[in-house]
């Protein structure tokens, strides 16, 4: 085990405050009658977290908050938790409790580049941005939600299955808090892409080969706070604590098996 990694028992002590997405809060305050027409969400946000999965270094990235829905069609991120890539999609089932749909998206940022840590990643190459397809489902009842998705890449980077739950509560009509866990299972190709070192990469970098098997690659607890300035404007914050199991955290390129990400956003819906 890499000596830089934190003791796993600290995981039980991690607490967080965050928002899953602007759409989650808006969904509680927007009349359902609006759902049949066009709805747009515009905003900006910033997130600080690991430079790449398992990195001991952190960086801050800005991101746009963009979304549009028309009936069962959507562009942006699907409102099913933090499981579906940004893109376009269609809800095959959409009613008071269920959303089941398909989507296709493209990575906004490269997951990992050699320049992220030249000393550790030299010779491993970049993980290319790619198109990702998804099949997802969400069940909601009151403030409780269960969600899941199967996400695959178009460049042979593997497949991930993501499951999670979320509980939301309105402290006041304008202040909403939510929290919940999620877990990601990845096949061997996916874990090899993000955490493995192939024979060619080993020869280029001088690092030992590492071939992780299929298994759980991430366990995350997120929580959030959203404040509705008006029926259209919102402010939010988010923090997530992620744990990387031994299957992937034993990789030579992983510094920490527990990492934290946090960010803020503002969004306008019309």
């Amino acid at each position: 085990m890499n000596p830089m990694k934190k003791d796993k028992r600290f995981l039980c002590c991690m607490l967080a405050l965050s928002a899953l997405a602007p759409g989650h809060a808006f969904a509680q305050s927007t009349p359902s009658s609006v759902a049949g027409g066009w709805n747009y969400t515009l905003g900006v946000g910033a997130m600080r977290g690991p430079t790449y999965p398992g990195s001991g270094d952190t960086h801050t990235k800005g991101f746009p908050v963009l979304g549009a829905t028309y009936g069962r069609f959507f562009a942006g991120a699907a409102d099913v938790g933090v499981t579906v890539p940004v893109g376009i999609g269609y809800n095959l089932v959409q009613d008071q409790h269920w959303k089941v749909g398909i989507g296709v998206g493209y990575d906004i940022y490269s997951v990992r580049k050699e320049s992220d840590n030249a000393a550790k990643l030299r010779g491993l190459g970049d993980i290319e941005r790619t198109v990702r397809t998804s099949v997802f489902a969400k069940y909601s009842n009151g403030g409780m939600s269960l969600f899941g998705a199967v996400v695959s890449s178009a460049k042979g980077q593997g497949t991930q299955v993501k499951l999670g739950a979320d509980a939301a509560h309105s402290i006041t009509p304008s202040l909403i808090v939510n929290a919940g866990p999620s877990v990601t299972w990845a096949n061997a190709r996916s874990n090899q892409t993000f955490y493995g070192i192939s024979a060619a990469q080993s020869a280029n970098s001088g690092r030992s080969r590492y071939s992780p098997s299929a298994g759980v690659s991430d366990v995350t607890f997120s929580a959030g706070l959203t404040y509705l300035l008006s029926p259209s404007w919102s402010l939010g914050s988010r923090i997530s604590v992620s744990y990387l199991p031994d299957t992937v955290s034993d990789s030579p390129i992983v510094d920490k098996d527990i990492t934290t990400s946090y960010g803020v956003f503002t969004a306008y819906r019309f």
Side-chain angles (χ1 to χ4, degrees):
M1 180 73 68
N2 189 318
M4 294 180 65
K5 297 173 186 173
K6 297 179 182 177
D7 192 312
K8 294 171 189 172
R9 65 179 178 270
F10 291 155
L11 179 64
C12 298
C13 301
M14 294 294 181
L15 297 176
L17 284 177
S18 89
L20 283 179
H24 184 91
F26 281 130
Q28 300 188 35
S29 60
T30 303
S32 58
S33 58
V34 181
W38 280 104
N39 291 281
Y40 303 95
T41 302
L42 300 176
V44 294
M47 180 71 70
R48 185 167 184 84
T51 306
Y52 61 87
S55 173
D57 299 325
T58 60
H59 65 168
T60 301
K61 283 185 176 180
F63 59 88
V65 178
L66 302 173
T69 62
Y70 182 82
R72 298 189 177 194
F73 292 94
F74 66 85
D79 178 27
V80 291
V82 287
T83 56
V84 180
V86 173
I88 58 175
Y90 182 77
N91 292 314
L92 301 168
V93 176
Q94 180 173 291
D95 59 28
Q96 181 180 0
H97 297 296
W98 283 98
K99 282 186 179 180
V100 180
I102 55 176
V104 57
Y106 188 76
D107 296 336
I108 298 177
Y109 299 107
S110 175
V111 176
R112 192 187 73 212
K113 298 183 293 183
E114 283 194 22
S115 58
D116 290 337
N117 186 327
K120 177 157 290 190
L121 302 177
R122 184 182 297 112
L124 301 184
D126 298 346
I127 296 177
E128 297 182 1
R129 294 188 295 170
T130 184
V131 173
R132 302 188 188 276
T133 58
S134 60
V135 178
F136 58 84
K138 177 183 180 180
Y139 175 78
S140 300
N141 193 343
M144 296 293 299
S145 297
L146 300 174
F147 52 85
V150 179
V151 182
S152 297
S153 79
K155 288 188 176 181
Q157 294 181 0
T159 298
Q160 298 179 342
V161 179
K162 304 186 179 187
L163 301 172
D166 180 67
H169 176 69
S170 296
I171 299 175
T172 72
S174 298
L175 187 62
I176 300 168
V177 62
N178 64 285
S182 64
V183 60
T184 301
W185 178 93
N187 66 7
R189 183 178 291 275
S190 176
N191 282 339
Q192 180 67 34
T193 297
F194 296 105
Y195 301 101
I197 298 177
S198 66
Q201 290 173 321
S202 176
N204 291 335
S205 66
R207 292 189 174 276
S208 300
R209 289 187 61 179
Y210 184 72
S211 300
S213 61
V216 175
S217 61
D218 178 274
V219 179
T220 295
F221 181 82
S222 299
L225 199 64
T226 301
Y227 184 72
L228 302 176
L229 298 170
S230 73
S232 297
W233 274 109
S234 71
L235 297 173
S237 62
R238 171 180 179 170
I239 185 168
S240 299
V241 179
S242 296
Y243 164 63
L244 305 181
D246 291 349
T247 300
V248 295
S249 66
D250 283 343
S251 169
I253 65 172
V254 172
D255 296 325
K256 294 182 176 181
D257 57 6
I258 297 178
T259 59
T260 303
S261 300
Y262 51 92
V264 294
F265 71 84
T266 182
Y268 179 76
R269 183 170 185 174
F270 59 99

